[in-house]
Structures are given as structure tokens and as C-alpha cells.
Amino acid sequence: MLVLLAEIYKELDYIDKRILLLLDKLLIRYEYVPLSVIEGSINVPPRELALRLGRLSEMKLIKRSLTSRTGYRLTFLGLDCLALDDLVRDGVIAYLGSSIGMGKESEVYIAKSSKEALLAVKFYRIGKASFQKVSRVRQYLTNERSWLIRSKLAAEREYSVLSELPRYTENVPRAFGWSRHAVVMSFINGVELYRCRELRKPTEVLYGIFNALRAAFIHLGIVHSDLSEYNVVVSIVDEVPYIIDWPQYVYRDNPLHLEYLKRDVLYVIKFFKRRYGVSIDVGKALRFVKGEVNEVIG
Ligand SMILES: Nc1ncnc2c1ncn2[C@@H]1O[C@H](COP(=O)(O)OP(=O)(O)OP(=O)(O)O)[C@@H](O)[C@H]1O
Ligand SMILES: [Mg+2]
């Protein structure tokens, strides 16, 4: 899919990009942007415009309305191209690699900066799975537009956390940039915790996780709220855990924040108990994460 994305991206000229940009700009206003509006904004002869819209539809970057009133909207793939265009132009990434992770709400690709540093680009796809399921049953239900908007919000939220938090902890990836529904962060050469059968020092890994939760709570005033063995990646070389997947975080002024914090802490403690036989007191761990004590033990 990523190779495909890079290939598609190469085939677009600046007029194609202007069309995509226009549809993106009008995402908030229209379910499908009427053809007359596109004609009024893109200064090319109607015949050429029709050809371009047809081609972009064939490439699945935009979608034509099925109603009698001709209109078009952006697809996730179209938004990918725009985000990619920004990230390359801003010098955040220089090369795009292949897909390395497919979450329920995103697709993650490997990339490189101009200095050859390895990066991960997370393209949000909120609602895509459920959308496909629903649209198979009800063809007319096309709410992908709202999913695009929500994906952008999620990327912005994740960027805001991952650009700040690395100042206070090494246990999260560092964000380098963001555009639309895509976040660029450091690539972690590791495996998700749920796939780690063995760890040399499981207690240290658990402390690393607490460390990130504590930094988030104390310095940013936030709680992850979706912590599990699927949202921790452990580096292969040195067994450092990194907490990923932050868009659902809540602030400390949320009345439920302490409940979420407890759930996060309890969840990992139970997991480490079950899988690695590590015993940690929940109350002490919580006090540590909240910044009330400086040690997990004692
Ligand atoms: N910075 C990174 N470095 C390396 N791999 C990553 C990175 N970020 C994400 N991944 C990979 O991509 C997968 C999906 O990432 P993430 O959990 O952030 O997305 P998601 O779509 O929100 O997942 P979920 O299925 O939990 O909703 C991860 O399980 C991991 O394999
Ligand atoms: Mg995840």
C-alpha cells in the first residue's frame, strides 16, 4: 500500500494537487463538493478538468457522488498524498518506505529523513474498518468525510503529545512533524509488548512504562487512557519500552482521569504478573505515576 502511495504521488502534477487541496479545504462545508464549485476555483478548461477528475477518481484519490448532482470528495488515499506532499516539502521526510504496521485506526509506514534517520509515519484511518463494514450493507451511507476530519484531529492530538513528552521521558517516540491526518515520529526498532515472549529484565521494562505515564501526568497533565500490551513497543537492542498511540489522552480536569489512570496502571501490572511473574503493588505504582513518591518500590 505504501509503495503504491509513493507511486501514485509521483504521478500527480500541480493542477492535480490543487484539485485535491480544494476538496480538502471544502471538506468541512460539503459532503461532495459540487462540480460547479470546482470549475469556479480551478482555472482549466472544463474538458481538461473532467479528464483530470476522472483520472483522480480512477486512482481512488477522490470519489464521485452517486447522486444526480455531480460532486467529488477526497478519499483517505487522496488525503495521504496531500500530507505526503507537505511532509516532503517541509523537509520532515525525504523517502517513504513500506507499510510496517496496520492498526485498527491507522496505517504506519517506515520513512527516512534527508539525513537518513529512520522514521515512522502514522496515517490515521479512523472509522475506515467500520465504514467499510457499514457501507457493504448500506451503499448510500457515506460518512467518510467525518472520518477524515476526525483522523486529522487525532493526528494533531498525537503530535501535540509526542512533540512535548520526549523532553521529560525517553519512553515515548519523538514527533518530528505532522500534516493533516499524518504524524511523523522516530522509528522504534522493536516489537509490541504482546509479542515479547521473553524479556531479560521485565521489571525494568515495567518501570519504563510507569516512567512515561508519570512524565505525561506530571509535566503535561494527561493520562494515556488506552494502555495495553498492544500500545507498547519494546526496542530489540536494549529492551527500552516506548508507549505509542496517544490520541485518546485526557487531561487532568476530566472527572474520569483518575479512573483511566488506574485502569492503565492496573492493566500493565496484571499483564506483567501474568506473563512474567512480576509482582508490583498497584497503590504504590499509582502514587509513583501521580508524582506523590519518587520510587515504585518502598
Ligand atoms: N514509532 C513507531 N515505530 C515503529 N513501529 C511503530 C511506531 N508507531 C507505530 N508502530 C507500529 O504500528 C502499529 C500501529 O500503531 P498504533 O498502535 O499507534 O496505531 P493504531 O491504529 O492506533 O492501533 P490500534 O490497533 O491500537 O488502534 C503498532 O502496533 C506498531 O507495530
Ligand atoms: Mg494501537
Side-chain angles (χ1 to χ4, degrees):
M1 176 74 170
L2 189 57
V3 176
L4 185 64
L5 176 55
E7 288 300 311
I8 288 171
Y9 170 71
K10 272 194 296 196
E11 281 187 35
L12 303 177
D13 65 14
Y14 81 100
I15 297 175
D16 295 329
K17 285 178 192 164
R18 268 180 48 211
I19 296 172
L20 297 180
L21 278 171
L22 178 72
L23 297 189
D24 186 34
K25 198 173 88 186
L26 297 177
L27 201 57
I28 304 282
R29 283 227 350 239
Y30 301 98
E31 179 69 41
Y32 286 89
V33 180
L35 180 59
S36 55
V37 173
I38 305 175
E39 282 172 343
S41 310
I42 307 288
N43 201 11
V44 295
R47 224 180 111 72
E48 182 188 336
L49 185 63
L51 283 173
R52 285 178 181 272
L53 290 169
R55 196 170 130 265
L56 293 173
S57 302
E58 265 170 39
M59 292 164 89
K60 300 206 173 351
L61 302 181
I62 63 175
K63 195 164 187 294
R64 194 187 151 132
S65 65
L66 296 172
T67 60
S68 54
R69 193 165 175 230
T70 307
Y72 293 86
R73 69 162 166 77
L74 212 52
T75 63
F76 269 110
L77 198 56
L79 199 62
D80 289 354
C81 287
L82 287 180
L84 209 53
D85 200 41
D86 291 339
L87 294 170
V88 171
R89 205 187 34 246
D90 296 347
V92 183
I93 65 169
Y95 313 94
L96 191 64
S98 49
S99 177
I100 51 168
M102 179 78 113
K104 285 190 298 298
E105 306 208 307
S106 72
E107 195 163 358
V108 181
Y109 295 102
I110 197 159
K112 266 187 186 175
S113 71
S114 57
K115 291 181 179 141
E116 303 276 314
L118 285 179
L119 302 166
V121 187
K122 178 172 178 179
F123 291 93
Y124 273 90
R125 306 254 184 274
I126 291 186
K128 188 108 172 104
S130 53
F131 169 74
Q132 278 166 349
K133 221 185 289 160
V134 171
S135 64
R136 260 203 303 277
V137 191
R138 298 163 71 182
Q139 284 295 329
Y140 58 90
L141 194 75
T142 55
N143 56 358
E144 189 170 347
R145 181 175 72 123
S146 68
W147 299 124
L148 294 174
I149 295 167
R150 287 178 55 183
S151 294
K152 287 181 176 188
L153 287 174
E156 186 175 0
R157 282 173 65 85
E158 182 146 45
Y159 175 77
S160 76
V161 174
L162 297 183
S163 57
E164 290 278 314
L165 202 46
R167 273 190 223 160
Y168 311 104
T169 172
E170 66 159 344
N171 300 104
V172 292
R174 177 184 301 275
F176 292 103
W178 136 78
S179 166
R180 300 163 206 275
H181 64 323
V183 187
V184 181
M185 60 186 106
S186 46
F187 168 75
I188 305 150
N189 183 17
V191 288
E192 299 90 350
L193 188 56
Y194 78 93
R195 292 204 284 145
C196 295
R197 288 292 134 206
E198 283 182 30
L199 290 173
R200 291 187 292 276
K201 293 184 175 173
T203 312
E204 297 290 309
V205 175
L206 183 54
Y207 287 176
I209 294 170
F210 290 151
N211 193 28
L213 295 181
R214 176 182 163 103
F217 192 77
I218 296 179
H219 297 289
L220 268 58
I222 61 169
V223 175
H224 185 286
S225 308
D226 187 27
L227 190 58
S228 74
E229 64 274 32
Y230 296 92
N231 283 334
V232 177
V233 180
V234 182
S235 75
I236 292 169
V237 184
D238 47 14
E239 261 190 17
V240 174
Y242 294 84
I243 301 188
I244 59 167
D245 209 0
W246 287 83
Q248 68 293 317
Y249 73 85
V250 299
Y251 280 108
R252 277 161 73 162
D253 62 5
N254 182 313
L256 294 176
H257 79 280
L258 282 178
E259 224 170 275
Y260 294 151
L261 187 68
K262 190 168 178 190
R263 193 180 65 192
D264 283 351
V265 169
L266 199 61
Y267 197 98
V268 279
I269 287 183
K270 280 189 175 164
F271 176 80
F272 273 75
K273 172 85 184 150
R274 196 167 66 237
R275 173 130 354 148
Y276 304 106
V278 172
S279 282
I280 297 283
D281 184 273
V282 178
K284 281 177 188 160
L286 257 178
R287 282 198 290 281
F288 172 75
V289 167
K290 286 196 266 179
E292 292 165 6
V293 294
N294 292 325
E295 300 277 335
V296 186
I297 316 165

